[in-house]
Amino acid sequence: MNNPFGFTRTLIKDRYALLAPGGFVPSALPGWSNATCIVLVSPAMGANFSQTLVTMHDEAQGQGNTGANELFAYVLEGQCVVAFGQKRTDLSVGGFLYLPPQRDFFFRATTENTRLLIFEKRYSALAGITPPPQLAGLAADIEGVPFMGDDAARLQVLLPDHPGFDMAVNIFTYQPGATLPFVESHIMEHGLMMLSGQGIYRLDNDWHPVQAGDVIWMAPYCPQWFVATGKTPASYIYYKDVNRAAL
Ligand code: UGY
Ligand code: MN
């Protein structure tokens, strides 16, 4: 959106960031061709992970090796084929892929404007625990469970609950008027994208209207709360670091 008054909802603070799509700027990323890559959250901002939006155009490809990192990719729109290790699978909307360190990967879009949300982080090994296996899945196959007993706020946990995983990626869906039950402050950090609907996000001591497409980074201990507003459910996908000691 061209705004002649220099206004933006985007706000980058020490403890959180809110990024509205009108301010997104692409950068060329190694391994991706015919794709628009926008690094939304990164260590340059103060985060310990990265969150990237990739829009794949006709014949787009992305390839690389996870190296010391792990990678989680979620299909927001369109369809692609992905090869990893000896496997190959099709991913469509709601499809996701988790890759542990040292894995080759190759994505190829099979429809125009396929959009992927990618979380990457340095994998933190745990003595005596083998790193998690690569896996692919579909969000629609994972049941949403009431969050702290609230039927109107449901959580889908996309990755298995196993100590080998040091990241979680979940989808939270709120009926209109539903809320996070209390203001959370926790050691885990979050990277989030609103998938649908709208609401108000409390971040630190500020309240922000948010809607589908918006992105949020929350640093560890950033107080956070959400209420879904409007007449349709609101949902967001978010990253969280899990299963590791503070020291
Ligand atoms: O998993 C979480 O910490 C989640 N309840 N936080 C959030 O939705 N902001
Ligand atoms: Mn939280």
Side-chain angles (χ1 to χ4, degrees):
M1 183 178 64
N2 182 13
N3 194 313
F5 303 109
F7 175 78
T8 178
R9 290 188 298 115
T10 294
L11 191 62
I12 312 295
K13 295 226 183 183
D14 288 346
R15 309 302 300 150
Y16 75 86
L18 168 63
L19 295 104
F24 292 175
V25 175
S27 53
L29 289 189
W32 292 90
S33 60
N34 227 5
T36 303
C37 303
I38 299 161
V39 183
L40 299 161
V41 176
S42 74
M45 180 185 269
N48 292 303
F49 67 99
S50 71
Q51 179 176 333
T52 304
L53 177 64
V54 177
T55 303
M56 302 178 81
H57 309 295
D58 204 21
E59 302 284 301
Q61 294 186 353
Q63 59 186 314
N65 181 288
T66 49
N69 295 339
E70 58 195 328
L71 178 152
F72 181 98
Y74 180 86
V75 182
L76 295 164
E77 234 177 271
Q79 221 175 313
C80 65
V81 58
V82 57
F84 51 105
Q86 304 303 316
K87 295 201 168 177
R88 187 190 145 96
T89 190
D90 289 312
L91 293 178
S92 50
V93 177
F96 61 86
L97 173 73
Y98 169 83
L99 295 179
Q102 311 301 341
R103 272 328 128 95
D104 288 328
F105 61 85
F106 177 81
F107 290 88
R108 186 170 55 80
T110 45
T111 60
E112 173 76 4
N113 287 328
T114 292
R115 296 200 313 143
L116 304 176
L117 189 66
I118 298 180
F119 298 105
E120 268 178 286
K121 152 185 192 302
R122 185 62 51 102
Y123 179 70
S124 165
L126 201 56
I129 304 279
T130 44
Q134 59 194 22
L135 62 93
L138 186 62
D141 292 340
I142 296 170
E143 198 192 343
V145 297
F147 188 69
M148 299 185 77
D150 184 356
D151 243 11
R154 288 181 172 261
L155 195 66
Q156 290 165 280
V157 176
L158 303 186
L159 291 174
D161 180 17
H162 180 276
F165 285 96
D166 67 347
M167 72 151 73
V169 179
N170 306 331
I171 297 178
F172 221 138
T173 303
Y174 299 77
Q175 296 307 309
T179 69
L180 259 185
F182 61 96
V183 180
E184 297 180 355
S185 300
H186 49 60
I187 189 169
M188 301 79 86
E189 69 180 323
H190 291 320
L192 177 158
M193 176 178 265
M194 290 292 297
L195 295 177
S196 61
Q198 59 181 43
I200 306 289
Y201 231 107
R202 179 195 166 142
L203 299 163
D204 207 354
N205 286 326
D206 308 322
W207 281 256
H208 294 284
V210 293
Q211 62 186 12
D214 288 353
V215 166
I216 298 171
W217 166 61
M218 293 170 235
Y221 297 109
C222 176
Q224 57 200 252
W225 179 83
F226 179 72
V227 58
T229 59
K231 294 185 174 171
T232 56
S235 72
Y236 54 75
I237 184 168
Y238 69 100
Y239 155 94
K240 176 176 184 174
D241 49 306
V242 292
N243 291 332
R244 295 296 181 267
L247 277 179

